[in-house]
Amino acid sequence: MTPRETDPLRPQKPGGMGRGAMIAIAVHGVLIAALAFGVSWRASEPEGMTAELWSATPQAAAPRAVEPPPAPPPPPPEPPKPKVEEPPKPDPQIAIEQEKKEREERERADREKVEREKVEREKAERDRQERERERERDRLEKERLEKERVEKERREEAAREKRLAQLTEKSRKDQMERMQGMIGGTGAPESTGTAQRSSGPSAGYQGKLRAAIYPNITLLDSVLGNPEALVEVRAGPDGTILSRRLMKCSGNRVWDDAVLAAIDRTRTLPKDVDGRVPTPIEILFRPREQ
């Protein structure tokens, strides 16, 4: 092939249109297919096609037709705005009436509070007075009981004194009778008296008294040392104890009270060897002789 034949810029020889005719036929076929596709695109989905174009000079293909996006729906109509009514202006007379009503309510509440406090104070005062009356009644009751106790003790003391006076009178009469019967005395051979019989206790009578009284002594507390309590006891002819009197205190209140209580519990003194009960008689009590 000569250089003339290979230069594309040089004009072609006659009779060299075969290739161009084929390209033209191919291009027209593509145009016909495109027209057919453009007519039927609404009925069927177009299929993708590939075509090769041959040209002596490069050419850019036209862009594919793009379906425009659907128009957006119109916005919904806005709801009608509610009509705003202006609040009515307050009536000055109504405000005055309302304020007056509130003031009356406050005044009534204050009055009720004052009344409640008054009622509570009156109730507290009544309770206090009732407690005072109860205390006064208790005090009067205690005073009455104390007066009754004192009166009872006074009557008992008067009765004891009366019995003692009767015993004294009887003792005096007995003494007069003994004086009148001095002749034929009954005393011991060594007796030097002038009475018909001895008036004092025998030598062993103190032992009988201790044996009768000491078992009744009850001590709640211990007694220190050996204190002595001298007690005078008066008894009737049958030995019944009529009175007792502390002649000499021992210095220990516990021992003195225990001795007097024991004499009260004894109630009756034993008789002497001659069948009599010497009265009055003094008895000496010591804790160590129990």
Side-chain angles (χ1 to χ4, degrees):
M1 180 176 294
T2 64
R4 182 182 177 87
E5 294 178 350
T6 59
D7 188 4
L9 300 177
R10 296 178 69 85
Q12 298 291 330
K13 292 181 178 181
M17 298 295 291
R19 181 181 293 181
M22 292 179 65
I23 293 172
I25 294 170
V27 170
H28 282 82
V30 171
L31 291 176
I32 293 170
L35 290 174
F37 173 76
V39 173
S40 61
W41 69 272
R42 294 181 179 272
S44 62
E45 183 71 20
E47 296 181 359
M49 298 181 66
T50 302
E52 293 183 1
L53 298 179
W54 297 89
S55 174
T57 58
Q59 295 182 0
R64 179 181 299 178
V66 179
E67 182 181 0
E78 295 182 0
K81 295 182 179 180
K83 185 179 180 181
V84 179
E85 296 182 358
E86 295 182 358
K89 295 182 179 180
D91 189 354
Q93 185 63 29
I94 296 177
I96 294 173
E97 292 292 334
Q98 183 68 21
E99 183 179 358
K100 180 180 179 182
K101 183 178 180 181
E102 292 177 355
R103 185 174 63 255
E104 291 176 353
E105 290 289 338
R106 290 194 297 270
E107 292 176 354
R108 185 176 70 255
D110 293 339
R111 288 194 301 270
E112 291 177 354
K113 181 179 178 182
V114 172
E115 186 66 23
R116 284 196 304 270
E117 292 177 352
K118 180 181 178 182
V119 171
E120 291 176 357
R121 287 196 301 270
E122 291 177 353
K123 184 177 182 299
E125 180 65 19
R126 288 195 301 270
D127 294 342
R128 186 189 65 79
Q129 293 178 359
E130 182 63 25
R131 290 193 297 270
E132 289 291 337
R133 286 192 292 268
E134 289 180 358
R135 285 196 290 268
E136 182 67 16
R137 286 195 296 268
D138 293 341
R139 186 184 64 81
L140 294 176
E141 181 66 16
K142 290 180 180 178
E143 290 182 355
R144 184 184 66 81
L145 294 176
E146 182 65 18
K147 288 181 181 179
E148 290 180 355
R149 186 185 65 80
V150 173
E151 184 64 22
K152 182 180 178 181
E153 291 180 354
R154 188 187 64 78
R155 290 195 300 268
E156 291 177 352
E157 184 66 22
R160 284 196 297 270
E161 291 179 357
K162 182 178 180 181
R163 288 196 299 271
L164 183 59
Q166 292 175 353
L167 283 173
T168 303
E169 180 65 21
K170 187 175 183 303
S171 298
R172 189 183 67 78
K173 290 181 180 180
D174 292 343
Q175 186 177 4
M176 293 297 295
E177 291 177 358
R178 287 195 299 272
M179 290 177 63
Q180 291 176 0
M182 284 189 301
I183 300 176
T186 59
E190 66 273 11
S191 176
T192 59
T194 58
Q196 183 179 9
R197 62 178 64 188
S198 299
S199 60
S202 63
Y205 188 64
Q206 287 287 338
K208 288 186 177 182
L209 291 177
R210 291 191 184 91
I213 298 174
Y214 270 79
N216 294 325
I217 296 177
T218 302
L219 289 174
L220 300 178
D221 295 328
S222 60
V223 177
L224 299 177
N226 196 26
E228 297 180 352
L230 183 62
V231 183
E232 179 189 73
V233 181
R234 294 179 180 272
D238 58 349
T240 302
I241 296 175
L242 301 177
S243 65
R244 82 281 192 284
R245 182 166 61 94
L246 190 63
M247 301 290 293
K248 177 185 175 183
C249 296
S250 66
N252 190 309
R253 179 67 179 274
V254 174
W255 176 245
D256 294 343
D257 293 343
V259 168
L260 296 177
I263 295 173
D264 294 338
R265 284 193 288 269
T266 304
R267 295 185 181 180
T268 303
L269 297 181
K271 293 182 180 182
D272 204 351
V273 292
D274 57 358
R276 296 182 304 108
V277 178
T279 183
I281 185 170
E282 295 181 357
I283 308 172
L284 186 65
F285 294 91
R286 300 186 184 91
R288 297 294 181 269
E289 294 181 3
Q290 293 191 65

